[in-house]
Amino acid sequence: MGGCRCGKVTLEVELASAPGTYCPRACDCSFCRRHEAAYLSDPKGRVVIRTETAANLNIARQGAELAEFLFCAACAQLLGAHWQDGAQHYACVNAQALFARESLGNVVAASPGQLSAEQKIERWKALWFPAFSVITAKA
């Protein structure tokens, strides 16, 4: 479980293995460093974002503008990233938004900016949560 600092958005994360076996990836780009992001994902897991209204989520695109970065509209915490391939959704979460982040493995460096758009997409398909949804109480 996790969520933003102000509590308007929550994260439900299901991992296929013990949390300590996952090492969040800290992207070295200026955007991710500015947000102190370290991304967690599991190709056998699931992530659900819950919020009262869709207006509580802000979306931004960075770099190659392929993925959407999801933020709380109220406290501006980076919650994760999302990419859609047709009807299939993929996502990763910012480990900084998880309540039990200290139970995860050590953060490792990543340099996705060095990858082509096609390489990024293949990486996301291989590493990110393939089960992702946003649930709002109000439309």
Side-chain angles (χ1 to χ4, degrees):
M1 284 294 283
C4 64
R5 290 181 285 273
C6 72
K8 291 187 180 285
V9 182
T10 61
L11 297 171
E12 295 174 11
V13 177
E14 290 182 15
L15 301 171
S17 299
T21 64
Y22 296 88
C23 294
R25 297 171 307 280
C27 174
D28 62 4
C29 81
S30 61
F31 173 82
C32 291
R33 283 195 326 260
R34 183 172 53 251
H35 292 284
E36 299 179 356
Y39 298 101
L40 174 71
S41 59
D42 181 347
K44 295 180 182 175
R46 179 177 83 90
V47 63
V48 175
I49 294 178
R50 291 185 186 273
T51 185
E52 187 174 319
T53 175
N56 286 338
L57 283 177
N58 280 345
I59 297 171
R61 291 186 183 267
Q62 297 295 317
E65 297 190 3
L66 297 170
E68 298 177 336
F69 291 87
L70 307 170
F71 293 86
C72 171
C75 69
Q77 182 166 11
L78 174 61
L79 300 164
H82 166 259
W83 177 73
Q84 186 173 347
D85 183 20
Q88 178 64 53
H89 295 261
Y90 296 89
C92 61
V93 296
N94 182 3
Q96 298 301 322
L98 298 177
F99 299 145
R101 62 185 164 268
E102 62 278 346
S103 66
L104 298 170
N106 293 329
V107 173
V108 297
S111 295
Q114 304 299 314
L115 303 175
S116 70
E118 294 80 17
Q119 289 171 318
K120 287 178 186 180
I121 289 169
E122 288 307 312
R123 182 176 169 85
W124 298 338
K125 286 181 176 181
L127 296 177
W128 284 13
F129 293 99
F132 167 76
S133 58
V134 175
I135 299 174
T136 58
K138 297 178 185 173

